[in-house]
Each structure stands twice: as structure tokens, then as C-alpha cells.
Amino acid sequence: MAKRPRGHDAMVDAAVRIRRRAYSPYSHFQVGAAVRTPDGSIYAGCNVENAAYQGTCAESGAIAAMIAAGKKRIAEVVVSGPGAAPCTPCGGCRQRIREFARDLDIPIRMVNERGRPMGNWTLGELLPHSFGPENLG
């Protein structure tokens, strides 16, 4: 097996790589996301737009891939987006991540289109006072 380069990060690689496959002909804002499960499996997704502006976020795509593979827990998230500011998950995706994260301290990292770190927050910081499955008793 080939050695990984120093600083290699499989989640960042997955988010950056899948970002290039995003379908964003209207916004031209390509986003990629990767989620890691507690067993170390990584699932990636990209944003997909349509003419009615009812697109799917990259985080939702990554979560759907995880669920399709039979997994139900998120341990970490990486989002890759363009621009000079961090591309954080939207409110709906923050709640979707919350559904599958047992711990509000899971890291959510943002990187640019080249994988350069842009920000690092916990789910609890991005979605304070959240409502989750345990609130339903």
C-alpha cells in the first residue's frame, strides 16, 4: 500500500473530490460534504439543483449515502465550498446532522475548494439548544 502524504485527510479529500461533481447550473455554487461514521466509514455527497430551485444540499446527499449503506450515526462532518468565507451547513442540514449525531460535540469542519481549513465548530455551537430524537421520549 502506498504511503499517504503528510497531512492527508480522507474526509477532506472526499468532500473536495465530490464537490467537483455538484450539479449547480443556476447558482454556480458547488458544495461537497463528507460524513464519517463511528466505525470510520466515509460517505460523500454534493449539492444538486433544479430549475424550480428545489435543490438538495451536499450534506443531505452524504447523509442519504450513509443511510443507504445501512449506517445511522455521524461522528464527524466536513463541508467543502467556494469563496473566502466558510461554507457552513444550512439550518435544515444542521438539523439533519443532529438527527444522526449522538453527541453535540461532533466536529463540523469547513474547507475551501482546495481543502484549506476555513473553520471548525461543533454541532452544538452551530445548532444551540437543539431538538433531537431524545426529546420525543
Side-chain angles (χ1 to χ4, degrees):
M1 176 174 15
K3 286 188 176 182
R4 291 182 173 170
R6 186 179 177 95
H8 174 82
D9 187 322
M11 288 192 66
V12 169
D13 290 349
V16 168
R17 190 172 47 253
I18 198 86
R19 181 186 167 278
R20 295 181 196 126
R21 295 185 180 173
Y23 181 76
S24 56
Y26 307 104
S27 72
H28 307 288
F29 194 86
Q30 294 178 307
V31 180
V35 297
R36 181 179 53 80
T37 61
D39 70 358
S41 299
I42 297 172
Y43 301 92
C46 58
N47 59 316
V48 178
E49 298 177 349
N50 65 53
Y53 296 105
Q54 297 173 337
T56 303
C57 296
E59 299 89 339
S60 293
I63 291 168
M66 177 191 76
I67 295 297
K71 309 291 175 129
K72 293 191 170 79
R73 291 288 167 227
I74 295 173
E76 184 178 8
V77 178
V78 171
V79 180
S80 174
C87 180
T88 63
C90 72
C93 285
R94 292 175 193 201
Q95 187 64 46
R96 286 179 192 90
I97 294 165
R98 172 68 170 89
E99 182 71 18
F100 299 103
R102 288 189 191 259
D103 185 355
L104 293 174
D105 288 334
I106 70 159
I108 301 178
R109 297 184 288 146
M110 278 57 67
V111 300
N112 71 7
E113 62 273 8
R114 292 187 182 113
R116 184 176 148 258
M118 300 293 288
N120 186 11
W121 290 273
T122 66
L123 176 59
E125 289 171 326
L126 291 177
L127 191 65
H129 312 290
S130 65
F131 186 88
E134 69 280 357
N135 294 108
L136 297 175

